[in-house]
Amino acid sequence: MDTSLKNEHPGVLATPDSTKTCGCSGTLAVPFLGSPALHETGTLELRPSPANRPNCEFCSPVLVTWNQDIKTGAIQFVSAALEQLWRRPVSELKAGLAALVRWAHPQDGHALQSLLQGGGAGTAEYRILWPDQTTRWIRTVRVPMHDESGNLVRLAYLSEDLTERKQAEESMRVQKFALEASANGIVITDIEGTILWANQAFSKMTGYSLAEAQGQCPDFLKSNQQEPAFYSAMWTRILAGETWHGELINRRKDATLYTEEMTITPCQNSTGQITHFIAIKQDITGRKQLEAQYLRSQRMETIGALASGIAHDLNNMLAPVLMCVSLLRGTTSGEEQEKLLQILENSACHGGELIKQVLAFARGVANQPMLLQPVRLIKEFKKLVDNTFPKSIQITADLPATSQTIQADPTQLHQVLMNLCVNARDAMPHGGVLSIALRDVVLDEHLCALVPEARPGEYVLISVTDTGAGIPPELREKIFEPFFTTKETGKGTGLGLTTTQAIVRAHGGFIGISSEPEHGTQFKVYLPASPENAPTTHHPRSSPELRGNSELVLVIDDEESVRNVCMRTLQHFGYRGLLASNGVEAVPLFAQHADEVAVVITDMMMPVMDGPATIKALRSIRPDLKVICTSGMGADSALFTQADVSLNFFLPKPFTASALLQMLSDTLHNQPS
């Protein structure tokens, strides 16, 4: 290589094997910074740059130089471009190396100082301060210059302004940080859909790391929940340069499904050609579940409104049935007739209880617990399922003669047994054995440590066991979730076990489950015992106490069958009766017999003039009037607030003749029920 020195304008560095032509000299020349081979040889040739070609790229501010004499240390040459770079006059730049260090950024002066003090090849990146204190990034390369004998005679310094590049790098760094910090998954693919980059949110969403996803097509996330036409339409849109937005169901690494909302935007180069796709993904599984739950809740509200609307009519239908049973008992005899009457009464009672349970679930009404003996309740429940479940299912009960008492709502406990037994029945479509057992247990601290909900103490354990298909292990954790069901559409709401667990927890208990596929399932319901309270036996008053003494009772009800059966019952048990179908009929009738009427029995929901308005009208005539309110809506209805009546004398429909007589006796004797 020719290593001769030419000092006219040593601002261009070149080698004979360069591949770029300098417009100033017409010779082959390249900037030092653009020719990596020069780093290895360290040998350079300085080419002149004519003053009449000021726009030569080698004389531009991108690449500027100065020369330093080795012997004297003086700066011999400074290119004009360096003046533009440092924003200092050439005369000041030639003043000495100390001046250059002084104008460097305070934190980077040492980097420039080290570069200027060295004798071999070197590179430094540092900041300088312009006179107006603007900061600029500079990269300077130190190149040793030798004479023909190989002696080091000069040091050439080539500087490049890196400010824009540094700013771009910082901008890219911040942008990358923002992409990584994004809560949404971000994926960049090439035109073929191959994943080039993905952020941490994508990994968290899918379970796949960037290393696992990189180089793959997003097809590995497919769950086969979408038809091929779905993906075809998506690709047609994005390949046309349009943004696509939609929802799809994908599969995580652990095989669970999730719903994602995705936006795919095509990226185009300067010629308009699509080069990449950017996909923004958001996991909306939770939102979709909430939406579904909200829709189900709305449906339940509709069911609640419907149940409230029909409860009155249903209870009106059941009330005459129950009262007729009492009347028939007085006119018929025989063991077989008594059995039939008992079945009729039990069915009507359970029908009324189920209506109350529907209302309680739909409207969130909590019933009041009472001290009860679970043995008797389970025996009554077994009679019901014996008569209603398929004969292919054998129902057994392992019950002691007596057990600990519990504080429980009998209707809700009945619902718990019904839900568990119905599930057991459905698990045995071809028949099997359904076993109900009861026993007293004591849980110590060691056993309770295994069950977070349990507390040490005495419990009554009710177990319901079937010989059905069993529950797969992967479903056991989900069976108590609201609206989860494995039954076909229309055959299950997914609320049975959820309601059962809620009732048991409300009573201070908990539920255990053991199941094996094809080996049946056992549910264990633990309810706290109440041994400190001796079971109270209710002794109903004798018939003479419940019979009337010709008292006059005004019955107001829009259901004719209820009115007629009430009248028959009252007359049969020593009362006199007046009947009215609504408040408009009742007010003038009461006015005629105001001094004689002992008690008014009025329904709360009636056409023309409802219960609250009727009560106010009657009490405007006689303020001390005793009123018994009846309704199938429950005592929490707003109708009772409007009527401003005491709930001590409320008779829920449907009611038996004995309940009616008991309520009349309590009201007449001012004994709140």
Side-chain angles (χ1 to χ4, degrees):
M1 174 181 289
D2 182 6
T3 57
S4 61
L5 295 175
K6 297 183 181 181
N7 300 323
E8 295 90 342
H9 188 350
V12 179
L13 307 177
T15 64
D17 58 347
S18 300
T19 59
K20 192 170 183 181
T21 301
C22 174
C24 297
S25 62
T27 61
L28 294 175
V30 292
F32 175 78
L33 297 181
S35 180
L38 298 179
H39 286 274
E40 301 174 3
T41 63
T43 58
L44 303 169
E45 181 179 0
L46 301 182
R47 297 287 189 186
S49 181
N52 61 350
R53 302 297 294 272
N55 295 326
C56 176
E57 61 181 298
F58 302 132
C59 300
S60 70
V62 175
L63 180 65
V64 293
T65 65
W66 77 84
N67 288 338
Q68 176 188 0
D69 186 270
I70 291 299
K71 294 180 179 180
T72 65
I75 297 178
Q76 294 181 320
F77 167 79
V78 174
S79 70
L82 192 65
E83 185 177 15
Q84 296 294 323
L85 182 61
W86 285 73
R87 295 295 170 92
R88 307 282 180 178
V90 172
S91 58
E92 293 186 17
L93 293 171
K94 285 186 175 183
L97 300 179
L100 298 178
V101 175
R102 187 171 65 251
W103 297 328
H105 191 282
Q107 296 179 3
D108 295 348
H110 64 283
L112 179 57
Q113 182 75 37
S114 298
L115 182 70
L116 297 177
Q117 289 178 348
T123 304
E125 291 185 4
Y126 54 93
R127 289 166 291 178
I128 65 171
L129 297 176
W130 284 354
D132 62 0
Q133 298 304 302
T134 300
T135 301
R136 304 293 292 181
W137 273 98
I138 305 297
R139 180 172 184 262
T140 297
V141 176
R142 183 183 62 228
V143 182
M145 308 298 294
H146 302 82
D147 58 18
E148 294 179 352
S149 301
N151 298 317
L152 179 65
V153 293
R154 289 186 189 141
L155 292 174
Y157 295 88
L158 295 86
S159 297
E160 182 181 11
D161 191 332
L162 300 180
T163 305
E164 283 70 23
R165 193 178 81 186
K166 287 286 188 180
Q167 291 173 344
E169 290 175 352
E170 178 65 14
S171 178
M172 291 178 64
R173 187 189 69 80
V174 173
Q175 291 174 15
K176 182 179 180 182
F177 179 80
L179 293 177
E180 285 288 2
S182 173
N184 293 336
I186 301 176
V187 178
I188 301 177
T189 71
D190 61 15
I191 188 67
E192 301 296 332
T194 304
I195 296 176
L196 304 177
W197 180 85
N199 66 350
Q200 289 297 322
F202 169 83
S203 297
K204 183 178 180 181
M205 182 190 308
T206 64
Y208 292 95
S209 66
L210 174 58
E212 292 173 315
Q214 211 164 20
Q216 292 200 64
C217 187
D219 288 352
F220 72 94
L221 296 172
K222 279 186 178 180
S223 63
N224 297 322
Q225 299 292 313
Q226 279 80 30
E227 298 294 331
F230 174 88
Y231 297 100
S232 177
M234 179 185 72
W235 275 102
T236 299
R237 188 176 183 89
I238 61 177
L239 287 175
E242 300 177 8
T243 298
W244 180 89
H245 180 82
E247 296 177 5
L248 63 159
I249 300 174
N250 278 338
R251 191 181 302 276
R252 296 186 181 93
K253 186 177 180 179
D254 62 5
T256 59
L257 299 181
Y258 69 99
T259 303
E260 72 173 36
E261 185 178 56
M262 182 167 63
T263 300
I264 304 177
T265 304
C267 296
Q268 301 174 344
N269 59 18
S270 58
T271 63
Q273 182 181 5
I274 298 175
T275 59
H276 298 83
F277 296 112
I278 298 180
I280 310 296
K281 300 166 171 280
Q282 182 180 11
D283 188 343
I284 59 171
T285 307
R287 190 180 79 191
K288 299 295 285 187
Q289 290 174 345
L290 288 175
E291 288 175 356
Q293 186 172 346
Y294 174 70
L295 292 176
R296 291 189 182 103
S297 298
Q298 284 188 317
R299 206 156 52 237
M300 288 306 302
E301 289 180 7
T302 304
I303 292 173
L306 178 63
S308 299
I310 67 175
H312 178 74
D313 294 335
L314 290 175
N315 285 319
N316 278 340
M317 297 175 190
L318 291 173
V321 174
L322 289 175
M323 286 188 285
C324 282
V325 170
S326 299
L327 294 177
L328 289 173
R329 280 201 174 103
T331 57
T332 60
S333 61
E335 183 178 350
E336 187 64 28
Q337 288 89 339
E338 178 60 29
K339 287 183 179 179
L340 293 175
L341 289 173
Q342 187 64 48
I343 292 174
L344 179 64
E345 183 177 28
N346 288 344
S347 298
C349 286
H350 288 310
E353 290 172 357
L354 290 178
I355 292 173
K356 293 175 186 176
Q357 187 63 31
V358 170
L359 287 173
F361 180 82
R363 299 162 55 198
V365 179
N367 293 319
Q368 295 297 323
M370 62 180 64
L371 195 67
L372 58 85
Q373 174 59 255
V375 174
R376 180 179 176 184
L377 185 143
I378 294 176
K379 286 181 178 179
E380 293 177 354
F381 175 78
K382 183 178 180 298
K383 293 178 183 178
L384 175 64
V385 294
D386 280 337
N387 293 323
T388 57
F389 276 27
K391 300 304 179 182
S392 60
I393 296 178
Q394 179 186 353
I395 303 173
T396 65
D398 181 10
L399 306 176
T402 184
S403 70
Q404 296 268 36
T405 56
I406 58 175
Q407 284 282 348
D409 185 305
T411 300
Q412 291 187 348
L413 189 55
H414 182 278
Q415 186 67 31
V416 167
L417 292 170
M418 180 62 73
N419 290 343
L420 295 178
C421 288
V422 166
N423 278 354
R425 178 201 66 188
D426 294 343
M428 300 182 291
H430 305 296
V433 179
L434 170 60
S435 304
I436 305 174
L438 174 70
R439 62 189 179 96
D440 296 332
V441 296
V442 178
L443 301 183
D444 57 22
E445 293 183 358
H446 176 71
L447 291 175
C448 291
L450 304 177
V451 183
E453 300 171 274
R455 298 291 180 271
E458 297 180 338
Y459 287 81
V460 171
L461 170 60
I462 303 173
S463 59
V464 177
T465 309
D466 66 67
T467 58
I471 303 174
E474 65 271 14
L475 298 182
R476 287 178 204 157
E477 298 298 324
K478 300 180 179 180
I479 59 174
F480 293 108
E481 294 179 4
F483 306 109
F484 175 80
T485 179
T486 58
K487 298 178 182 178
E488 299 177 13
T489 302
K491 294 188 177 181
T493 62
L495 291 171
L497 290 178
T498 304
T499 304
T500 298
Q501 186 181 59
I503 292 173
V504 173
R505 285 178 173 175
H507 284 76
F510 61 95
I511 300 179
I513 178 175
S514 59
S515 180
E516 291 293 335
E518 306 305 327
H519 289 83
T521 301
Q522 182 180 63
F523 284 93
K524 294 182 177 181
V525 177
Y526 293 83
L527 296 172
S530 300
E532 68 279 3
N533 296 320
T536 57
T537 304
H538 178 67
H539 298 285
R541 298 178 186 179
S542 60
S543 296
E545 290 184 56
L546 294 179
R547 291 187 62 83
N549 190 23
S550 297
E551 292 93 340
L552 184 61
V553 180
L554 173 58
V555 178
I556 312 170
D557 201 297
D558 60 310
E559 190 67 33
E560 183 178 3
S561 59
V562 175
R563 296 196 304 271
N564 292 337
V565 174
C566 280
M567 177 62 79
R568 293 280 300 274
T569 303
L570 292 172
Q571 291 175 344
H572 186 76
F573 287 93
Y575 291 93
R576 294 179 297 139
L578 295 173
L579 302 181
S581 61
N582 54 58
V584 173
E585 292 183 9
V587 172
L589 185 61
F590 176 77
Q592 296 176 20
H593 304 275
D595 295 334
E596 297 180 73
V597 174
V599 179
V600 171
I601 302 174
T602 180
D603 189 17
M604 298 302 286
M605 291 184 63
M606 297 180 293
V608 185
M609 188 173 182
D610 62 10
T614 300
I615 294 173
K616 290 179 181 179
L618 297 180
R619 282 183 170 167
S620 68
I621 299 174
R622 207 178 98 192
D624 63 342
L625 178 65
K626 296 179 179 180
V627 179
I628 297 174
C629 301
T630 67
S631 177
M633 295 295 293
D636 65 320
S637 173
L639 292 171
F640 290 90
T641 303
Q642 299 172 17
D644 191 25
V645 295
S646 172
L647 296 183
N648 290 329
F649 303 108
F650 168 66
L651 190 59
K653 289 183 177 180
F655 48 82
T656 62
S658 59
L660 173 62
L661 296 173
Q662 185 69 63
M663 180 62 70
L664 278 172
S665 177
D666 292 341
T667 305
L668 291 171
H669 295 89
N670 290 320
Q671 296 180 354
S673 299

